[in-house]
Amino acid sequence: LAFLPDGRMLVTERPGRLRVVSAQGDISEPVTGVPEVFSQGQGGLLDVALDPDFTSNRLVYLSFAEPGQGGASTAVARGRLEDRMLKDVEVIFRQQPKVEGGSHFGSRLVFSPDGELFITMGERFKFGPAQDLSNHLGTIARIYPDGTVPKDNPFVGRQEAEPEIWSYGHRNVQAAAIHPETGQLWEIEHGPRGGDELNIAEAGRNYGWPLVSWGRHYSGRDIPDPPTKPELAQSLYQWTPVIAPSGMTFYTGDQFPEWQGDILVGGLVAEAVVRLSRKDGNIMEEERIELGARIRDVVQGEDGSLYVLTDQDDGKILQLSPAE
C-alpha cells in the first residue's frame, strides 16, 4: 500500500491487479498498464512505491514476479500514473537469473533519503546462490530510479559480481524501512523453521544464509547458529518460533505517542502487528497487537493512524486508531 498525495491509496493484489482506494474505502477497477506477472505460489504483484518527486513526475514503482525464460524472478517496473492508467511503463531492474519455483521473491521497495531505490529479494528457495555475488538471488539491490547503478555500490568493478548488489546472504526479505534518524535501511527476513531476523542492511555485508541461521531446515537438520561465524553480519533481533514478517514501518506519528520511534511489523503466522520498542539502538520490548488475520503490510497514514493489509482471498485494509 502507498498513499497518494490526495489521501487515496494505491494497493497491489497478488494476481496482478493495482487498485486505487479512496479515503472512504471505495475501490476502483484495476489500473491498466501493469506488467504481466507470474502469479504462482508466492509470486505475483508485490510492492508499490511512489517516486520521491511524484507530485511533479507522477512515477509509480512496482515490484513483481516476472515470467520469462528459465522460470521467473523478481523485477521492478515504473510508469506514469494518469487517472486509472500507467503509461510509459518500463522495467528498470530484473533479478538474474530466472529460475523455476514459486517461493521467495521478496520484495520491498524503499527509497533512501538521497533518492536511491533499494530492492529486497529472496533467494528463490535455492539456498547456496545467496552466497554467490554473480547472481541477485538472496540480495538487496540499490539502484537509481532510472535503473542505473550508483558508482559507490560496494561491488561495482568487481569481476563476476552483479553491480546492483548492496548486501547478500539474505533468505527472503519481506519487510524493509528507512530509519528516520540515521537514514539506514533496516530489514526483516524470513527464517526457515525459526530464525526470522531483524537486520541493518549495510553495504557489502554478508548476512549468512544458508551458512548460519537461528532456525533449522524444514527436514529438521540443524544449521549452525550465527555466532559460530562472527565475521558475518549478526542480527539485532530474532524470532523463534517465527512471526513470518511482511511489511514494517518506524512509527513517527502522534496518534500513538507511546510508540514514537518503535518498529511495527506485519506478522503472517503471528496474525498480528508486532511492536518492537527501542532504546539506544537496542530492542527492549516486544508487544503483539493480535488481529486474527495474516498481516501483509503496515503503513503509517498522514494523520498518524495505522493501515494494515490482510493476506486473504478476500483481503481487507484495516485502519487502527487508539482505543477510546
Side-chain angles (χ1 to χ4, degrees):
L1 181 155
F3 276 98
L4 293 166
D6 61 9
R8 294 181 300 161
M9 296 165 263
L10 288 176
V11 180
T12 62
E13 297 178 352
R14 193 184 64 82
R17 297 181 293 265
L18 178 66
R19 307 272 193 178
V20 180
V21 179
S22 74
Q24 294 74 39
D26 299 318
I27 304 170
S28 76
E29 291 297 313
V31 172
T32 61
V34 173
E36 177 190 0
V37 307
F38 174 87
S39 58
Q40 299 179 30
Q42 298 169 3
L45 185 58
L46 304 171
D47 205 4
V48 55
L50 303 187
D51 192 280
D53 295 322
F54 177 82
T55 53
S56 60
N57 63 27
R58 305 288 296 179
L59 288 175
V60 172
Y61 297 74
L62 299 171
S63 63
F64 62 104
E66 182 186 49
Q69 186 174 359
S73 67
T74 303
V76 179
R78 73 173 184 176
R80 191 175 71 256
L81 182 66
E82 293 186 5
D83 297 321
R84 301 275 163 69
M85 299 179 288
L86 280 181
K87 294 189 173 182
D88 303 324
V89 176
E90 58 176 340
V91 176
I92 60 169
F93 175 83
R94 288 184 168 95
Q95 181 189 49
Q96 299 291 345
K98 295 189 185 304
V99 297
E100 297 292 338
S103 298
H104 296 188
F105 290 93
S107 159
R108 293 292 171 184
L109 302 175
V110 181
F111 279 98
S112 76
D114 294 329
E116 299 95 355
L117 178 61
F118 289 107
I119 306 159
T120 75
M121 290 171 281
E123 38 72 284
R124 300 288 281 106
F125 207 56
K126 304 302 181 187
F127 301 88
Q131 289 295 316
D132 182 354
L133 292 170
S134 69
N135 70 86
H136 296 118
L137 276 61
T139 70
I140 294 175
R142 174 180 179 251
I143 61 173
Y144 287 125
D146 63 358
T148 57
V149 177
K151 293 181 179 179
D152 61 347
N153 270 7
F155 301 110
V156 166
R158 179 167 166 176
Q159 190 174 6
E160 297 183 353
E162 293 287 358
E164 297 90 352
I165 294 174
W166 175 258
S167 58
Y168 67 108
H170 300 287
R171 186 171 182 270
N172 189 21
V173 182
Q174 289 195 12
I178 294 293
H179 190 291
E181 297 166 2
T182 67
Q184 292 176 303
L185 179 69
W186 289 44
E187 58 88 0
I188 309 178
E189 57 193 86
H190 288 245
R193 292 178 61 185
D196 291 345
E197 290 185 2
L198 169 66
N199 296 299
I200 299 175
E202 297 179 295
R205 295 300 302 276
N206 180 352
Y207 288 79
W209 180 256
L211 304 177
V212 295
S213 174
W214 288 110
R216 292 172 175 264
H217 289 292
Y218 290 116
S219 66
R221 183 166 55 90
D222 191 29
I223 305 171
D225 290 341
T228 63
K229 290 188 177 294
E231 70 275 16
L232 303 177
Q234 303 293 306
S235 59
L236 299 179
Y237 194 79
Q238 65 95 10
W239 288 268
T240 301
V242 300
I243 61 168
S246 191
M248 67 179 286
T249 189
F250 288 90
Y251 187 73
T252 59
D254 297 324
Q255 286 210 25
F256 302 88
E258 68 278 13
W259 293 359
Q260 281 276 349
D262 290 353
I263 302 169
L264 302 173
V265 186
L268 296 166
V269 169
E271 296 191 342
V273 172
V274 179
R275 181 177 70 88
L276 299 176
S277 63
R278 299 180 300 116
K279 183 178 181 180
D280 300 327
N282 298 313
I283 304 301
M284 304 301 294
E285 182 185 11
E286 175 180 334
E287 178 190 10
R288 300 194 183 188
I289 299 94
E290 296 183 359
L291 297 171
R294 289 165 55 86
I295 304 303
R296 178 57 69 181
D297 202 3
V298 183
V299 181
Q300 180 180 313
E302 287 292 327
D303 62 353
S305 60
L306 290 171
Y307 292 78
V308 300
L309 301 185
T310 67
D311 182 79
Q312 299 165 300
D313 289 338
D314 183 18
K316 296 179 175 64
I317 301 172
L318 306 178
Q319 183 182 11
L320 306 185
S321 299
E324 295 296 335

